[in-house]
């Protein structure tokens, strides 16, 4: 009997020796999140990715497996982040005339927005006495995941803390941008999309595409330019202080 129980307890670890289990868990959690999101009437404070992340964390906590077992298999999905980001060039090309018409205000807005997005979290954490590795993890929190992971590694930050900061930032940005746009009566999808892309990276861009194709294209632009600007400027500024 004890031998049978030991074998049963080892089954989850054996499953996660193959990447199929981690990929299946990730996709299953995401589709569950989408379904629950629709059942809850699409609340801005609880996007499908947040539901999926909570679901995956719960499964890992309940099963006798570690986060490394899951990451080992889910790393295959991480390889798709780069191509998925590059594919956003398609809606950008489709909205190119509108983007050209607004290139001056976009270029004037983006450096300030990207700088503030990186600085305010680092400043608050520094005032509260956070160590350098925590600050390095929070600095790229408003940048899309492939760029943010590279920046955090270069600055000496924690990958796990960064991923949590990315998720929190995306959810907060979606809620904040939509709440402010309603309060200020902003209905232009270009402005809303750009704000979601700059502040909410991939999560904000997904939400922008749910609003309209125009909003999604401008969110893609904001996310891409914020990533490029931060990747160039952040390491230079960081090494001046640390």
């Amino acid at each position: 009997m004890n031998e049978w129980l030991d074998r049963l307890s080892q089954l989850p670890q054996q499953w996660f020796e193959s990447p199929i289990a981690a990929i299946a868990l990730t996709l299953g959690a995401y589709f569950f999140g989408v379904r629950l999101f629709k059942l809850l009437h699409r609340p801005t404070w609880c996007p499908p990715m947040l539901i999926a992340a909570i679901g995956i964390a719960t499964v890992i906590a309940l099963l006798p497996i570690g986060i490394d077992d899951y990451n080992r298999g889910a790393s295959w999905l991480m390889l798709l982040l780069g191509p998925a980001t590059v594919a956003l060039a398609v809606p950008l090309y489709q909205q190119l005339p509108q983007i050209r018409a607004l290139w001056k205000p976009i270029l004037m807005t983006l450096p300030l927005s990207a700088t503030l997005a990186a600085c305010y979290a680092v400043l608050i954490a520094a005032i509260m006495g956070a160590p350098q590795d925590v600050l390095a993890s929070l600095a790229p929190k408003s940048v899309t995941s492939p760029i943010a992971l590279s920046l955090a590694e270069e600055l000496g930050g924690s990958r796990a803390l960064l991923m949590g900061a990315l998720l929190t930032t995306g959810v907060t940005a979606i809620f904040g941008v939509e709440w402010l746009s309603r309060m200020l009566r902003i209905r232009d999808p270009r402005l809303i999309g750009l704000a979601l892309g700059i502040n909410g990276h991939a999560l904000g861009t997904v939400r922008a595409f749910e609003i309209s194709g125009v909003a999604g294209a401008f969110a893609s632009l904001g996310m891409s330019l914020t990533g490029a600007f931060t990747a160039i400027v952040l390491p230079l500024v960081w090494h001046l202080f640390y």
Side-chain angles (χ1 to χ4, degrees):
M1 183 68 177
N2 290 335
E3 183 180 353
W4 183 83
L5 290 175
D6 290 340
R7 290 182 179 179
L8 187 63
S9 65
Q10 292 175 1
L11 276 179
Q13 292 180 337
Q14 294 174 0
W15 292 339
F16 280 85
E17 288 178 358
S18 167
I20 295 176
I23 293 174
L25 173 60
T26 304
L27 295 178
Y30 175 73
F31 288 123
F32 171 76
V34 171
R35 179 64 177 168
L36 185 58
F37 178 69
K38 292 178 180 178
L39 290 174
L40 294 174
H41 304 292
R42 302 176 181 273
T44 56
W45 52 269
C46 190
M49 289 188 183
L50 176 60
I51 300 172
I54 295 173
I56 292 172
T58 302
V59 172
I60 293 174
L62 293 176
L63 293 178
I65 59 172
I67 189 64
D68 293 334
D69 298 319
Y70 170 76
N71 284 335
R72 188 166 52 249
S75 61
W76 289 90
L77 292 173
M78 295 292 289
L79 295 175
L80 300 176
L81 286 174
T85 303
V86 174
L88 293 174
V90 175
L92 283 177
Y93 177 78
Q94 293 172 340
Q95 302 297 329
L96 199 56
Q98 294 198 57
I99 293 172
R100 284 176 176 169
L102 295 172
W103 70 270
K104 288 183 179 179
I106 289 173
L107 288 183
M108 290 177 63
T109 301
L110 188 125
L112 177 61
S113 302
T115 301
L116 288 175
C119 287
Y120 74 82
V122 173
L123 190 59
I124 293 173
I127 292 173
M128 297 180 68
Q132 183 176 334
D133 61 330
V134 174
L135 302 181
S137 305
L138 295 177
K141 67 173 182 54
S142 295
V143 183
T144 186
S145 299
I147 299 175
L149 289 169
S150 299
L151 286 173
E153 183 178 351
E154 180 180 348
L155 302 180
S158 165
R159 183 189 183 101
L161 182 56
L162 170 65
M163 296 305 291
L166 284 172
L167 181 60
T168 304
T169 299
V171 173
T172 306
I174 292 172
F175 176 78
V177 169
E178 296 199 1
W179 179 74
L180 283 173
S181 64
R182 286 195 299 268
M183 187 179 69
L184 299 175
R185 298 181 181 179
I186 298 173
R187 297 181 177 86
D188 191 332
R190 299 171 299 178
L191 298 178
I192 296 173
L194 188 65
L196 285 170
I198 292 175
N199 296 285
H201 51 81
L203 289 180
T205 303
V206 170
R207 174 56 187 154
F209 274 108
E210 293 177 353
I211 297 173
S212 70
V214 174
F218 274 82
S220 303
L221 178 67
M223 181 182 69
S224 303
L225 293 180
T226 300
F229 177 84
T230 307
I232 295 170
V233 175
L234 181 58
L236 297 176
V237 175
W238 181 266
H239 293 305
L240 289 177
F241 295 95
Y242 298 101

